[in-house]
Amino acid sequence: MNIIRRFFRRIQVKVHYWRSKFDIVIQDKVPHIKIGETYENAVKWILRTITVIGIASSLIAFPVWYYSLAFSIVLFLIEQVFEQIIFTRTVMLVQPLPQNWDGSKWTSMYVATDDTNIFLGFRFSDKSVGTDFFNTLLAWNDGKKVNDGNIQLTLVQEDKHKYSVHIYPTVQRAFVRENLKQQERDFDKRVNAGKELSVLVAQMSFCKVFPMSRTCAYAILKDRTENVYVQIYDTSKVDNNDPSTYYNAIPNDAQMILFKQITVCHRRDLTRDKNTMEYYNVPK
């Protein structure tokens, strides 16, 4: 069974590799091949070679006329395939990344409430990792302490025994929108006729699975998804085998980020269009 899985995994890797080189799309009911503009010179030389072969073939005497016709048709079809190629200029936008991330240091979640506010704590057994995590959130939120659409925080019930926490930057950030507009302005379609601009966004999504309970973050937050303050806790002095040390978890500092809206739902309620990241990221 493991051999079969490894075999299909290798096939998937090869498919993804070749799809990263080119793609086939339908435009105006005609199939086109999209490849990076780095291959433009190679394609031009292939077309020139086909032209030379076509001219040279006129000097070749085929035994019967239909051989000549078939050869001409094959050359024509090959040329048409290359004529339908669309060259893409790819630009990569990279959202802020952590500098010192170690997912094993993310130990648990913590929720506290008062009369008006909810405080959601991300607990880390290494203070430096927790600080780096919070600084990454701040970078995603452009240094602001109120998040209004720059960061998505989602708690997903995976089954009756566990839930997952997902947090990542959104593509609605000003960084993405402004850079996208700038790239489109810089891409002169008159100069780049027959080319397309492709803008990719690289980013990190923090995700981890935690056990379900009546007092877990998911159970407490599923009916309250507005105005949640995110804070970082240091659990370096907590021994999971010694309940008396549980209260040694303390906030890293007084810094918090207010999330005006978070998402709390069951996995069956996720959709490809609205919850793309969570829909495809099924944690183990």
Side-chain angles (χ1 to χ4, degrees):
M1 183 64 70
N2 289 333
I3 295 176
I4 295 175
R5 287 175 180 172
R6 285 197 295 269
F7 172 74
F8 282 107
R9 180 57 180 166
R10 284 196 294 269
I11 293 177
Q12 287 179 325
V13 171
K14 289 181 179 179
V15 170
H16 285 298
Y17 172 79
W18 287 109
R19 286 202 63 185
S20 68
K21 299 297 182 183
F22 68 91
D23 198 5
I24 299 176
V25 298
I26 303 296
Q27 289 188 0
D28 299 325
K29 299 182 180 180
V30 177
H32 294 266
I33 298 175
K34 284 187 176 182
I35 63 174
E37 64 178 355
T38 54
Y39 297 97
E40 185 174 2
N41 287 333
V43 171
K44 286 182 178 179
W45 277 106
I46 291 174
L47 286 171
R48 291 168 184 167
T49 303
I50 293 174
T51 301
V52 171
I53 293 174
I55 295 173
S57 66
S58 63
L59 303 177
I60 301 174
F62 288 93
V64 290
W65 65 270
Y66 48 81
Y67 285 172
S68 178
L69 176 62
F71 184 76
S72 299
I73 292 174
V74 169
L75 285 181
F76 172 77
L77 293 176
I78 294 174
E79 183 181 16
Q80 285 300 302
V81 169
F82 283 93
E83 288 288 351
Q84 300 304 320
I85 286 179
I86 299 174
F87 297 101
T88 59
R89 176 174 297 177
T90 303
V91 177
M92 180 74 74
L93 301 180
V94 182
Q95 305 259 45
L97 300 172
Q99 304 299 313
N100 187 34
W101 178 245
D102 183 349
S104 66
K105 306 300 182 183
W106 182 5
T107 58
S108 57
M109 302 297 293
Y110 171 76
V111 179
T113 62
D114 57 24
D115 293 336
T116 57
N117 302 306
I118 301 175
F119 302 90
L120 178 62
F122 286 73
R123 290 176 155 186
F124 293 88
S125 60
D126 186 319
K127 186 175 181 179
S128 64
V129 175
T131 300
D132 181 52
F133 172 82
F134 189 82
N135 289 338
T136 303
L137 300 188
L138 277 179
W140 292 348
N141 203 39
D142 303 319
K144 301 174 184 177
K145 295 299 179 66
V146 178
N147 169 48
D148 192 9
N150 287 326
I151 309 172
Q152 175 62 40
L153 173 58
T154 307
L155 279 65
V156 179
Q157 182 177 354
E158 302 294 341
D159 55 40
K160 63 181 180 180
H161 300 296
K162 58 183 180 294
Y163 72 98
S164 59
V165 179
H166 306 251
I167 187 166
Y168 56 89
T170 67
V171 294
Q172 284 75 40
R173 290 185 63 229
F175 163 79
V176 176
R177 289 186 286 105
E178 292 173 3
N179 274 281
L180 177 58
K181 290 180 181 178
Q182 184 62 49
Q183 292 296 333
E184 289 176 342
R185 285 194 295 267
D186 294 343
F187 186 76
D188 190 339
K189 292 183 179 180
R190 293 171 298 177
V191 176
N192 296 289
K195 294 183 181 180
E196 286 188 357
L197 177 65
S198 178
V199 180
L200 304 178
V201 179
Q203 63 184 48
M204 182 169 185
S205 174
F206 296 107
C207 177
K208 194 158 188 177
V209 176
F210 298 100
M212 286 285 291
S213 71
R214 289 181 298 175
T215 58
C216 72
Y218 179 90
I220 295 174
L221 294 175
K222 66 180 181 179
D223 297 321
R224 299 181 64 178
T225 60
E226 297 181 359
N227 293 337
V228 176
Y229 287 89
V230 168
Q231 192 173 22
I232 309 304
Y233 279 74
D234 175 17
T235 62
S236 58
K237 295 182 180 179
V238 173
D239 182 354
N240 291 329
N241 297 319
D242 184 0
S244 65
T245 65
Y246 290 174
Y247 294 99
N248 292 339
I250 57 175
N252 270 18
D253 50 42
Q255 292 192 92
M256 291 181 285
I257 298 177
L258 171 61
F259 281 65
K260 290 188 175 182
Q261 187 74 33
I262 68 171
T263 301
V264 184
C265 63
H266 198 284
R267 176 153 293 279
R268 63 172 172 264
D269 298 323
L270 296 174
T271 63
R272 278 180 288 189
D273 296 331
K274 188 177 180 180
N275 318 101
T276 305
M277 294 287 286
E278 299 89 340
Y279 183 89
Y280 287 106
N281 184 6
V282 183
K284 296 181 180 180

